[in-house]
Amino acid sequence: MLKKILTLIVLVLLLTSCGNTKYHYHFERGRMIDFTRGEWILNRPYTNYDEDRIKKMALKEFTKILGDSLVSIDDLSHRKEVPKYMPQDPNKEQLRYLKNATNKDFLITVESNIIKDEMGSFAHAPSVGFSTQANEAGISIKIYDLNSQELISESNVTGIAKVTKSEEDNSWDYVNSGEPLAMKGVKKLIKKYGKYGITK
């Protein structure tokens, strides 16, 4: 019985936390990408927290769109000529080199960073007056055509969880801390590519 009550409380907290979180999307270019052609490389992610978790999330979500035409750069780096990772903003020479080394057609780069993490998972009331605290994460995705060495898509999403509380507010607000914000942002932004792009 106690276990059921605790589960219910956690579920209510998780559901009420959604109202404190907002995601803002922006496509600088290339919202509609043709994912039905060519072979794709997913670069190692750039992040200020957990690279492995971001890589797994990005690989899982982009595989839903690209299937077996997607490969991680880690799976190619056993070849001497293939770099272990590419810069987030590679130049034409670097893109041309990667094309010659792999014979693939496109490169996807993902960057996910925690910008603010002021609350952890719970927002507490201040001892005096009012306080506003925020957790924030920023995610960007860039896609390069290795054949033309051009940037063909650039997008980003910012996830913000913000809570304002007064000293009289004794309730505990569950909010998405920085890492869940960043992880969910990666997933949500990739899903936008699946929604707007041409898929198999």
Side-chain angles (χ1 to χ4, degrees):
M1 184 67 179
L2 180 60
K3 187 176 180 181
K4 287 184 178 179
I5 293 171
L6 289 172
T7 302
L8 183 62
I9 291 170
V10 170
L11 182 60
V12 169
L13 287 171
L14 287 171
L15 290 173
T16 55
S17 74
C18 297
N20 297 322
T21 302
K22 293 183 179 179
Y23 288 91
H24 305 278
Y25 303 89
H26 178 66
F27 277 78
E28 187 72 27
R29 67 176 82 186
R31 188 172 73 164
M32 184 181 288
I33 297 294
D34 184 355
F35 292 106
T36 64
R37 60 190 180 91
E39 295 185 298
W40 302 68
I41 301 171
L42 179 65
N43 196 20
R44 288 175 67 182
Y46 287 77
T47 181
N48 62 359
Y49 56 106
D50 193 327
E51 180 183 313
D52 192 53
R53 287 192 71 195
I54 293 298
K55 175 192 167 183
K56 287 178 181 176
M57 174 68 76
L59 192 58
K60 178 183 175 183
E61 295 303 317
F62 269 118
T63 297
K64 291 178 183 178
I65 299 170
L66 289 160
D68 58 9
S69 62
L70 176 69
V71 65
S72 167
I73 198 166
D74 289 340
D75 294 330
L76 299 171
S77 59
H78 63 278
R79 306 180 196 173
K80 280 185 179 180
E81 66 275 14
V82 177
K84 290 186 177 179
Y85 64 90
M86 292 289 285
Q88 181 72 359
D89 298 295
N91 58 38
K92 283 182 177 288
E93 185 178 340
Q94 290 167 323
L95 292 169
R96 193 177 297 112
Y97 179 89
L98 188 64
K99 171 64 182 179
N100 292 334
T102 64
N103 201 32
K104 303 295 184 183
D105 302 292
F106 301 96
L107 173 70
I108 302 169
T109 68
V110 177
E111 183 169 4
S112 178
N113 292 309
I114 298 170
I115 300 169
K116 289 182 184 177
D117 205 10
E118 296 177 345
M119 292 178 283
S121 296
F122 292 93
H124 302 283
S127 54
V128 179
F130 290 83
S131 73
T132 298
Q133 293 178 302
N135 297 334
E136 183 176 347
I139 298 91
S140 69
I141 293 175
K142 295 179 182 179
I143 300 176
Y144 296 87
D145 186 326
L146 295 178
N147 299 296
S148 63
Q149 295 90 51
E150 296 292 337
L151 175 66
I152 60 171
S153 180
E154 182 177 0
S155 64
N156 60 72
V157 60
T158 303
I160 302 174
K162 186 179 289 186
V163 177
T164 299
K165 296 179 76 67
S166 68
E167 59 185 293
E168 292 86 11
D169 187 349
N170 295 317
S171 64
W172 283 44
D173 291 308
Y174 180 87
V175 295
N176 285 311
S177 59
E179 188 164 339
L181 271 178
M183 293 293 295
K184 289 176 185 178
V186 171
K187 184 175 183 178
K188 285 175 175 289
L189 189 54
I190 296 172
K191 282 183 177 292
K192 291 290 184 185
Y193 276 100
K195 179 180 178 181
Y196 297 124
I198 302 168
T199 58
K200 296 177 181 178

